Amino acid sequence: MDKKNALRAGAVSAGTALMMLLMTSPALALTRDDGDDPGKGLSIGETLGLYVALPIVIFLIIAGLVMVGDKSRKQQNQG
């Protein structure tokens, strides 16, 4: 019975993956749509800054604010 369930799960997974690939094929099209105006691309530095450095900086700011709030709360409880 386990072999049958594993085969069924594999078939469902393969079918789902195939359907997702078929549905995303228009996303890979090279022709432009009406009103499409993409603009200039990002450089490597801009891309790394926007998608790597900026989220890390935002995380560090939020973590710092949480730590400051936690320390002030501990000081109020002690005094």
Side-chain angles (χ1 to χ4, degrees), residues 40-77:
K40 70 175 191 78
L42 297 174
S43 70
I44 293 174
E46 291 171 333
T47 303
L48 289 175
L50 185 62
Y51 295 109
V52 177
L54 187 63
I56 291 173
V57 169
I58 291 172
F59 173 79
L60 291 175
I61 290 171
I62 293 172
L65 290 172
V66 168
M67 287 174 26
V68 167
D70 188 44
K71 286 181 182 179
S72 66
R73 186 174 298 163
K74 285 182 181 177
Q75 289 175 353
Q76 286 176 356
N77 290 341

Side-chain angles (χ1 to χ4, degrees), residues 19-49:
M19 289 302 293
M20 287 177 64
L21 285 173
L22 291 174
M23 300 277 285
T24 59
S25 63
L28 303 175
L30 295 176
T31 58
R32 298 279 182 211
D33 291 332
D34 292 338
D36 191 15
D37 188 18
K40 70 175 191 78
L42 297 174
S43 70
I44 293 174
E46 291 171 333
T47 303
L48 289 175

